[in-house]
Amino acid sequence: MANEEPRVLSIILGGGKGTRLYPLTKERSKPAVSFGGKYRIVDIPLSNCINSGYKKIYLLTQFNSASLHLHITNSYNFDRFSGGFVEILAAEQTLEHSGWYEGTADAVRKNFIHFKSQKPTHYVILSGDQLYKMDLRAFMDAHIKSGAEITIATTAVNRRDASGFGIMKIDEDSHVKEFMEKPKPDVNIDSWKIPAEARGTLPPEKEFLASMGIYIFNADTMEECLLGENEKYTDFGKEILPLAIGKKKINSYVFDGYWEDIGTIRSFYEANIALTDPYPSFDFYGTNNKPIYTHMRNLPPSKINKADITSSLTSEGCIITNCKLNRSVIGVRSIIEDNSELDGVIMMGADYYDEEDEKKANAAKNIPNTGIGKNCKISNTIIDKNARIGDNCKIGVTGKKYDDGDHGSFYSADGIIVIRKGAVIPSGTEI
């Protein structure tokens, strides 16, 4: 076995209802949310798998999966000789299981019948809402070399950030000895600092190891951890892994590259806007050998009819006329009309262009066209797909403060305005 190529099955966890990303998850699952103008969040872990040579991929989801199904079908078609696939496994009723997925471990457990047909030697478990580029083959090589039964990918964090993660205590050989879920700020965890022998080139202020929610399991170990007397446990991070410590050989794999959890509106917004930096930490460019894959659309190049654009991304098929854009991410088929100004805006674009007869009919009803009208000023805002914003609108620039929550045609979260998918914002509206 030592000299054989491992048979690796990748499992991407699509998450639950995605309430922290609401309303972006109102009509789609979290992995299907648009990112970076032309991508979906799920493209990140999928591309990590494909670029690592792991092309047998299952995506587990149960909420609002129609949009995700369509994206996967349109984007990931392997030729018949590669043996690769990307398959969505939505929660289903069977004779053995009648309910929803009750947690990350429960989702995997309920799909063993599908996984076993591939006869894997190892499982790679990935999260569907994280931003990172990882060589999963190097991760696997380290796992096999260590002789571990389970390896947990970890990232170094400072004490302040440690309170938001599951923290690992390791020895000088990177064996995981203890696990603590989100230690409160007043708890002394000095004894949990990374041993000097395992630090390598980590920044000195990052003294603790946080779980990234990315794991490798030997196939037989996975079954032992999830079946039998452990079937009552539903979550990897909170139950399965802490219970396995001391019973299984568990190692930490320290990942020192960029990694960001984009599970909240604030983190999602900041991760998108950070893409506009001259040298972003997560870069779509200069990745000839390891690109981020997505749906290949047959769209024309963007047409810029005069504009002042600073530190922004524009996707395919846009028409931008006499506008000012600053630190903004503009999605596919976005239409921005004359004399509008966008600063710190994520515009997800549209699924279609308005037909001329539709424009005339809408004009008679005072309904704006899809996109952004004339003379608008918009800042600190996420505009979901197919939104219609009329002329002379002011959004995020009025100084108004809103409580987090639903405000009709828009939503407020962490001080960020979110214009709903398909929303109609009449001309002259101030938000």
Side-chain angles (χ1 to χ4, degrees), residues 156-158 194 199-208 254-256:
V157 296
N158 59 35
I194 306 168
R199 286 199 58 83
T201 58
L202 294 173
E205 71 277 7
K206 295 187 175 182
E207 299 181 301
F208 304 93
V254 181
F255 177 67
D256 59 1

Side-chain angles (χ1 to χ4, degrees), residues 30 80 338:
K30 191 159 42 172
R80 67 183 65 181
D338 190 67

Side-chain angles (χ1 to χ4, degrees), residues 6 36 51 65 83 132 134 136 153 173 175 189 195 252 272 280-281 284 300 308 319 337 339 369 387 423:
N51 289 329
S65 56
Y132 63 101
M134 180 188 285
L136 298 176
D173 296 318
H175 302 327
I189 57 171
S252 160
N272 269 275
S281 298
F284 288 112
D308 180 353
I319 303 175
E337 298 289 0
N339 202 36
N369 294 328

Side-chain angles (χ1 to χ4, degrees), residues 113-124:
I113 188 172
H114 303 295
F115 303 152
K116 285 184 178 181
S117 65
Q118 300 299 323
K119 298 181 179 178
T121 58
H122 298 82
Y123 292 99
V124 178

